[in-house]
Amino acid sequence: MTTETVKKAANGLNGTVTIPGDKSISHRSILFSSIAKGTSRISGFLKGQDCLSTIACMKQMGVKIEETDDTITVYGRGFEGLQEPERVLDVGNSGTTIRLLTGLLSGTSFYSVLEGDDSIAKRPMSRVTKPLKEMGALIDGREEGNLTPISVRGSELTGIDYTSPVASAQVKSAILLAGLRASGVTVVREPSVSRDHTERMLNAFGVHVEQDPHKGEVKVEGGAELTARDVEVPGDISSAAFFLVAACMTPNSSLELKNVGINPTRTGILDVLEAMGASLEIYNERTETGEPVADIRVTYSQLKGTEIGGELIPRLIDEIPAIAVLATQANGTTVIKDAAELKVKETNRIDTMVNQLKTLGAQIEATDDGMIIQGGTPLLGGRVSSFHDHRVGMSLALCGLLSDTPVVVDEAEAVDVSYPGFFQELYRLK
Ligand code: S3P
């Protein structure tokens, strides 16, 4: 177990951070180039544990993947080029790997088994296995296919018109990937729009995906083939979020965040920061492989509390732990609702954040679908744990920037899942 100690940043945080690659887009770049025909070069790839799990799984299915310091080269041989893995596919801590792979594996002609770590073993898989079974997938697992290990016997699939009860890009993407192998058309509808990286990247790989964001509807036709192409992965706004929050709440701070993906399905945090009165400047806007990217200047200012719920939630779901920390420093109360999905992330993020923040002096209460945070509360030093949840670890670390005595974060190695080198960056900016 690794422990990190974060001390007060009396002079604020200042400097430039180049934001590491987007985790969602990195996963998709490997999956899609593996089933495409031809060679794809991926730059800006996030070498976090989760995305490395996706690479390892695809290698086990016979895909040749070469890794250098700055490029990943994938030699795709088409969907038919995938081979039956000899061993269980280990997804580590990665929900995106297991859910997207379950969709992809459903339409193969072979047998495979997926499992991951203790956190994955508790996370619900029926949200993907249920619709996939409706398409004709032969899937099994504990609790009738809800819990790992998940086994998939590849089979003939038929397109469906599926209305998902949750706004989840993992569910949508798993069904779309199966839809590529199914006969007929596959439609996925969701209650509000989740991140659309799959749709954008499939389009970039030559597959026509019809999107109607107003209706929360996407459509794909079976039999489409992917063509290899180079991919540039933008920086992850979910990683930038920790520095956005750090600068907003630590007096004397001003940070320049370079290379931040600003796909509108992900920018809920920017909307919330603006509503709270943050000083943000977004510039140098450009497009990389169908994804909008920009640089952001964020400067400390006194913020006010806000209400976060409804359609905003899927646009900032992974940033809520960091937003909870920020809300302890705003003037007034912040209410987060409609966020029950937090309970089925790497940990139950409502309970973990509320319990850990309380030990650091925060005035925060859990609700059924979110949390209520009283602002203007001094944070205290103390010992907390990530509970092996990367975003919990990084969010709690931020508290140490303000507390008079240090915040010690146990199980700090969890941050390697999405942001290797996070603590070094944080210490460098003081
Ligand atoms: C992700 C989708 C989100 C997000 C996760 C990554 C993806 O999960 O929380 O970190 O890459 O598709 P859900 O699809 O379960 O909302």
Side-chain angles (χ1 to χ4, degrees):
M1 182 184 83
T2 313
T3 293
E4 291 285 343
T5 302
V6 183
K7 296 185 186 146
K8 189 166 184 157
N11 301 319
L13 295 181
N14 288 280
T16 299
V17 188
T18 300
I19 301 300
D22 187 282
K23 182 158 79 68
S24 294
I25 298 175
S26 295
H27 281 300
R28 286 157 174 82
S29 69
I30 296 298
L31 293 172
F32 299 174
S33 56
S34 291
I35 59 169
K37 283 201 173 127
T39 302
S40 303
R41 278 172 204 81
I42 305 164
S43 53
F45 182 83
L46 172 69
K47 288 189 178 167
Q49 289 301 331
D50 269 16
C51 302
L52 297 178
S53 295
T54 295
I55 290 187
C57 289
M58 296 320 293
K59 281 185 176 173
Q60 272 187 263
M61 285 183 259
V63 182
K64 187 176 160 203
I65 302 176
E66 280 169 4
E67 298 156 57
T68 63
D69 274 355
D70 55 4
T71 311
I72 311 283
T73 307
V74 181
Y75 299 88
R77 287 187 290 146
F79 201 92
E80 306 291 348
L82 299 181
Q83 292 162 11
E84 187 168 69
E86 285 174 13
R87 293 178 176 276
V88 171
L89 299 167
D90 180 3
V91 305
N93 188 242
S94 176
T96 304
T97 309
I98 193 163
R99 295 203 177 108
L100 269 59
L101 267 185
T102 303
L104 189 143
L105 291 165
S106 295
T108 62
S109 52
F110 53 74
Y111 175 75
S112 52
V113 181
L114 297 145
E115 69 174 352
D117 67 7
D118 292 347
S119 157
I120 283 291
K122 295 192 200 99
R123 297 184 67 184
M125 297 299 144
S126 59
R127 52 181 54 202
V128 292
T129 57
K130 183 179 158 286
L132 291 172
K133 285 187 202 172
E134 283 176 29
M135 297 176 81
L138 303 176
I139 300 177
D140 215 337
R142 291 181 296 139
E143 288 185 3
E144 295 176 13
N146 186 35
L147 296 174
T148 57
I150 293 288
S151 67
V152 186
R153 159 90 43 212
S155 58
E156 300 273 321
L157 305 175
T158 312
I160 48 167
D161 185 330
Y162 186 69
T163 301
S164 173
V166 283
S168 159
Q170 292 177 358
V171 171
K172 176 173 63 177
S173 304
I175 299 170
L176 289 177
L177 283 171
L180 290 178
R181 303 292 296 168
S183 59
V185 173
T186 294
V187 183
V188 187
R189 302 168 203 276
E190 45 184 357
S192 47
V193 180
S194 64
R195 62 191 69 191
D196 66 355
H197 304 304
T198 293
E199 296 88 311
R200 285 174 188 252
M201 203 184 288
L202 281 177
N203 279 322
F205 275 78
V207 175
H208 178 61
V209 183
E210 228 175 280
Q211 284 176 269
D212 186 341
H214 302 296
K215 288 197 210 152
E217 188 182 295
V218 288
K219 219 183 259 182
V220 75
E221 218 164 305
E225 301 239 332
L226 285 75
T227 309
R229 61 159 293 157
D230 292 349
V231 177
E232 201 156 332
V233 180
D236 199 327
I237 193 166
S238 299
S239 298
F242 302 106
F243 291 108
L244 287 168
V245 164
C248 280
M249 72 176 195
T250 312
N252 306 314
S253 296
S254 186
L255 291 176
E256 187 184 30
L257 309 180
K258 290 241 182 235
N259 189 36
V260 186
I262 51 162
N263 177 319
T265 60
R266 299 284 301 280
T267 48
I269 174 124
L270 300 181
D271 296 354
V272 164
L273 291 178
E274 258 154 25
M276 294 175 87
S279 161
L280 291 178
E281 193 196 333
I282 299 167
Y283 51 97
N284 214 356
E285 291 192 35
R286 54 209 189 262
T287 303
E288 285 170 7
T289 325
E291 293 280 351
V293 185
D295 299 333
I296 302 178
R297 161 74 60 188
V298 52
T299 305
Y300 167 80
S301 60
Q302 180 56 55
L303 302 188
K304 53 181 190 287
T306 189
E307 264 213 28
I308 305 170
E311 299 203 339
L312 198 48
I313 295 295
R315 297 180 54 233
L316 50 62
I317 188 76
D318 291 343
E319 288 66 78
I320 292 177
I323 291 171
V325 172
L326 180 64
T328 67
Q329 301 307 304
N331 285 329
T333 305
T334 294
V335 179
I336 301 171
K337 59 181 187 183
D338 306 321
E341 274 293 297
L342 289 174
K343 296 179 183 173
V344 290
K345 293 294 175 190
E346 285 80 334
T347 58
N348 175 334
R349 285 184 176 159
I350 297 180
D351 287 354
T352 332
M353 284 309 295
V354 168
N355 293 339
Q356 296 298 284
L357 277 177
K358 273 186 178 168
T359 70
L360 299 178
Q363 290 182 43
I364 178 168
E365 293 303 329
T367 62
D368 275 353
D369 64 351
M371 42 189 114
I372 300 175
I373 306 130
Q374 306 302 333
T377 313
L379 292 170
L380 313 171
R383 189 162 204 130
V384 287
S385 173
S386 75
F387 287 91
H388 232 89
D389 181 331
H390 53 131
R391 299 201 200 280
V392 167
M394 288 185 271
S395 301
L396 294 171
L398 302 180
C399 300
L401 300 172
L402 296 178
S403 55
D404 284 332
T405 54
V407 167
V408 178
V409 183
D410 285 334
E411 295 194 283
E413 70 281 2
V415 309
D416 292 346
V417 157
S418 66
Y419 202 149
F422 168 76
F423 285 101
Q424 289 83 330
E425 282 292 75
L426 190 64
Y427 302 152
R428 180 179 67 80
L429 299 166
K430 282 204 220 171

